[in-house]
Amino acid sequence: MNNLIIGSHVSFKSDDQLIGSVKEALSYGANTFMFYTGAPQNTKRVPIDDSKTYEALMLMKENNIDLRNVVVHAPYIINPANSANREFNIEFLRQEIERVESLGVTKLVLHPGSHVGLGEEVGIKNIIDVLNCCILSDTSVDICLETMAGKGSELGITFKQLKDIIDGVEYNDKVKVCLDTCHINDAGYDLNDFDKVLDEFDNIIGLEKLACIHVNDSKNIKGSHKDRHENLGYGNIGFDNLINVIYHPQLVNIPKILETPYVVDNDTNKKSYPPYKFEIDMIRNKKFNNNLLEDIRNYYV
Ligand code: FE
Ligand code: FE
Ligand code: ZN
C-alpha cells in the first residue's frame, strides 16, 4: 500500500559510520537517507570500516531500508566546472566514488559546479572532462547531477544544461539527475504546474534519468536564484505543491530526501533540532501541521 520512499539528510560520523546514519534515519521514521562521507567543506575522510558497514546493512535489512534507495552527497568543495582545480576535482571525486562503492551505495549526488566567470560553455566542457576522467567502464555508482538554483555562476540551472553535460559523457548510462524542488523554484520553474515541469524534464532529459528528488520548500520566490531551503509548507512553494511532487504517480520509485533547515531553539538561540521526524509525519498524513516548529522544539527539549 505505502511504497513511499522518504528520508532526509543524516550525519555520517567517524565513530560508528553507516550504523549511526541508519539509526538516525530510523529515529525519523524514514525508509531511506542521504549523507556526506565527511565534512562537505573539507577533504578529511576516515577510511570506510567494512565491519561497520556490514552491521549497518543488517540493521537496514531488519528495517526494510533498501540500500539502492540510499544516497551519498559529494562534498561541495568539488567544483568540476572550474578547470583551475582540475587535478584536485578529479582526484577527490575518484576517491569519493571509491568510498561510495565500498559502502555499496549506488547514487552519488554531485553539484555540477560554478563556472566562476569562465562562461557557460567552458564550464560545461570542464564538467564533462572531470566526469569522463572519473566515470569508467567498471564504475558501479550513478553520478546524479543536481538541478541548481542559479546562485552566482552555478551551472545545471536548466534541464538543457544538464542534458548537454550528460551528452558529453562517454559512459553516460551512469549519469543521472537529482531534482531539488527548492533549486528548480529558485531557477524559475513553476511548481504550481509540476506536470508541465515534469513534461519538460521528460522531453529534454528523459524521465528515466531522474534518480533522486530533494524535497525542500524555498524561502524565496520563483526565479530568485537564491538557494535558501525552508521547512515544508513554510516557504513559497507550499505544502500542497510539495505533496504533489512526493506522491506523483510517475515518481513512486524515486527516493525523496528532505534537506530542510533545523529548527532553532527559541530561548537559547544556540541549539537547533532536526525537523525530519515531524516533516515525514506531515508527508505520510498528507496534512500540513501549522504548529510544526513548536512541536519540534517541544519534542527535543
Ligand atoms: Fe545539493
Ligand atoms: Fe539539494
Ligand atoms: Zn540547496
Side-chain angles (χ1 to χ4, degrees):
M1 181 201 80
N2 190 356
N3 45 11
L4 176 67
I5 306 163
I6 185 82
S8 70
H9 170 79
V10 298
S11 58
F12 179 91
K13 292 179 181 140
S14 51
D15 46 355
D16 54 3
Q17 299 194 358
L18 196 61
I19 305 166
S21 310
V22 176
K23 284 181 179 165
E24 186 180 342
L26 292 172
S27 80
Y28 302 147
N31 57 12
T32 189
F33 56 92
M34 180 181 82
F35 60 99
Y36 291 98
T37 62
Q41 69 278 13
N42 69 43
T43 57
K44 241 184 82 192
R45 293 292 179 273
V46 290
I48 301 297
D49 180 337
D50 289 342
S51 68
K52 284 175 180 161
T53 303
Y54 181 77
E55 202 183 311
L57 292 177
M58 290 298 110
L59 191 57
M60 286 165 63
K61 205 170 173 197
E62 280 166 36
N63 290 281
N64 293 315
I65 297 180
D66 189 333
L67 185 61
R68 288 169 299 182
N69 294 326
V70 173
V71 182
V72 169
H73 197 309
Y76 43 74
I77 37 166
I78 300 177
N79 178 7
N82 183 5
S83 47
N85 305 323
R86 183 175 183 272
E87 299 313 313
F88 167 80
N89 288 330
I90 292 169
E91 180 58 25
F92 202 60
L93 183 56
R94 276 187 184 156
Q95 287 175 20
E96 185 71 4
I97 288 172
E98 264 178 46
R99 263 190 299 275
V100 171
E101 285 177 338
S102 74
L103 288 163
V105 171
T106 59
K107 294 176 198 280
L108 176 61
V109 169
L110 176 71
H111 291 182
S114 303
H115 67 67
V116 295
L118 299 169
E120 178 182 334
E121 207 178 313
V122 175
I124 287 177
K125 239 186 237 166
N126 291 338
I127 297 164
I128 292 169
D129 167 48
V130 169
L131 292 176
N132 274 327
C133 291
C134 294
I135 304 173
L136 310 174
S137 63
D138 63 345
T139 301
S140 62
V141 54
D142 286 337
I143 304 295
C144 306
L145 300 172
E146 185 164 352
T147 59
M148 301 310 290
K151 202 172 59 180
S153 62
E154 276 175 351
L155 293 168
I157 66 169
T158 62
F159 299 154
K160 174 72 169 67
Q161 284 180 345
L162 293 169
K163 171 67 173 165
D164 287 347
I165 297 166
I166 293 168
D167 281 347
V169 177
E170 185 179 4
Y171 298 109
N172 64 10
D173 54 314
K174 295 164 196 182
V175 184
K176 305 255 165 92
V177 174
C178 169
L179 186 122
D180 186 309
T181 54
C182 168
H183 296 178
I184 62 169
N185 170 78
D186 290 17
Y189 290 97
D190 186 2
L191 281 136
N192 291 307
D193 192 355
F194 185 61
D195 280 339
K196 194 181 153 206
V197 175
L198 215 52
D199 266 352
E200 193 177 330
F201 187 99
D202 194 28
N203 289 333
I204 296 173
I205 300 175
L207 220 47
E208 70 284 355
K209 284 288 189 195
L210 191 47
C212 175
I213 296 178
H214 285 169
V215 181
N216 303 302
D217 212 327
S218 174
K219 284 193 198 298
N220 294 100
I221 56 165
K222 176 169 81 80
S224 60
H225 302 300
K226 286 282 201 323
D227 189 5
R228 293 190 65 213
H229 302 187
E230 182 54 284
N231 294 107
L232 300 197
Y234 287 80
N236 285 285
I237 298 173
F239 188 70
D240 292 344
N241 282 340
L242 292 166
I243 284 291
N244 185 34
V245 173
I246 294 166
Y247 285 98
H248 199 285
Q250 286 179 282
L251 309 177
V252 273
N253 296 318
I254 301 171
K256 322 284 185 324
I257 304 288
L258 301 164
E259 307 173 292
T260 45
Y262 272 42
V263 173
V264 178
D265 192 311
N266 266 343
D267 304 322
T268 66
N269 225 23
K270 279 181 195 142
K271 279 191 192 155
S272 63
Y273 310 111
Y276 308 124
K277 174 182 159 55
F278 288 84
E279 288 182 323
I280 289 172
D281 272 351
M282 285 202 303
I283 290 167
R284 291 199 195 278
N285 300 331
K286 298 185 190 176
K287 196 173 177 299
F288 179 61
N289 172 4
N290 56 20
N291 207 37
L292 180 78
L293 307 186
E294 271 315 300
D295 284 354
I296 293 167
R297 289 187 188 108
N298 290 334
Y299 181 80
Y300 285 103
V301 162

